[in-house]
Amino acid sequence: MRAISGLWRWRGSPLRRPTDRAEAWVCLVALLLICTAAPAIGWLTGTAAQDSLRRSVAEQRHTRQRVPATVLRRMAYHPPETDPDAGAGRTVRSRVLAGWTAPDGTRRHGAVLSGLKSPHRGDRFMVWTDRQGHMTSRPLDSTTARAHAVLAGFGAALLAAALVETARRVVVWRMVRRRYARWDQAWERAGPDWGKAGTGS
């Protein structure tokens, strides 16, 4: 930002070097890209993510369903586990061997997490399955999908801004290195005569 303000302040200064003006222009272009391109990239990414997630929500709602399961027996003791799909950090208290009927009518069974505090043989609870009757997670809801799309857009905007700023720093660093290299060459040319009386006369 100092270089941008310097672009205006030094516009008529005899001490202004071409590299000062170039550095200020690089900073100005980077600022414009961060203020315009990064939000646009974030918006496009968020919109694309939301469209994709909306299709996933519709597909999952169509292909997944809740079916009643029956406890066959309680599994060996396991420490309490947290169900990632339960929301609000709900703790699942037990793992049981359960049986359920698939949509095609076949019987299936397997180890599942149960919210029952003290499950006994014959207790019933609901599980999510796909069309083949395999256990699956609950469908993604619209609110969660929207939150994921917003996060994707925000992350894309931040990444774009970071890339622009990184490019700006690299360009300015190379310009400064070239400036120092020219200074070194000028000092080497003036070195043998520097400080001698009558030099330059």
Side-chain angles (χ1 to χ4, degrees), residues 45-101:
T45 302
T47 301
Q50 186 173 7
D51 291 342
S52 177
L53 289 170
R54 189 182 294 121
R55 288 193 297 270
S56 296
V57 168
E59 179 184 357
Q60 290 180 10
R61 286 180 177 174
H62 183 67
T63 58
R64 300 181 186 185
Q65 58 183 317
R66 294 187 76 188
V67 298
T70 304
V71 177
L72 301 179
R73 65 179 172 85
R74 188 169 185 171
M75 304 289 286
Y77 174 77
H78 288 82
E81 300 180 46
T82 300
D83 184 358
D85 300 319
R90 177 183 172 191
T91 300
V92 177
R93 300 183 183 277
S94 57
R95 181 179 291 273
V96 299
L97 180 65
W100 60 92
T101 302

Side-chain angles (χ1 to χ4, degrees), residues 41-200:
I41 290 173
W43 181 80
L44 291 173
T45 302
T47 301
Q50 186 173 7
D51 291 342
S52 177
L53 289 170
R54 189 182 294 121
R55 288 193 297 270
S56 296
V57 168
E59 179 184 357
Q60 290 180 10
R61 286 180 177 174
H62 183 67
T63 58
R64 300 181 186 185
Q65 58 183 317
R66 294 187 76 188
V67 298
T70 304
V71 177
L72 301 179
R73 65 179 172 85
R74 188 169 185 171
M75 304 289 286
Y77 174 77
H78 288 82
E81 300 180 46
T82 300
D83 184 358
D85 300 319
R90 177 183 172 191
T91 300
V92 177
R93 300 183 183 277
S94 57
R95 181 179 291 273
V96 299
L97 180 65
W100 60 92
T101 302
D104 61 4
T106 59
R107 290 288 298 168
R108 298 191 178 276
H109 63 276
V112 297
L113 295 174
S114 166
L116 301 172
K117 293 184 179 181
S118 181
H120 300 318
R121 182 182 177 85
D123 289 347
R124 295 173 69 82
F125 60 98
M126 303 299 291
V127 295
W128 286 98
T129 67
D130 58 17
R131 288 179 174 177
Q132 289 73 40
H134 300 121
M135 291 289 299
T136 186
S137 59
R138 70 176 58 201
L140 185 66
D141 61 272
S142 299
T143 302
T144 304
R146 192 177 303 111
H148 288 172
V150 170
L151 289 176
F154 187 68
L158 285 180
L159 180 60
L163 288 175
V164 170
E165 175 61 13
T166 301
R168 183 197 69 82
R169 289 176 179 268
V170 170
V171 170
V172 171
W173 175 77
R174 294 191 62 170
M175 292 171 64
V176 171
R177 289 286 301 271
R178 281 176 17 196
R179 182 190 306 161
Y180 287 161
R182 286 196 295 269
W183 284 354
D184 290 341
Q185 292 172 1
W187 275 111
E188 287 177 3
R189 287 194 299 269
D193 297 328
W194 185 83
K196 292 182 180 179
T199 300

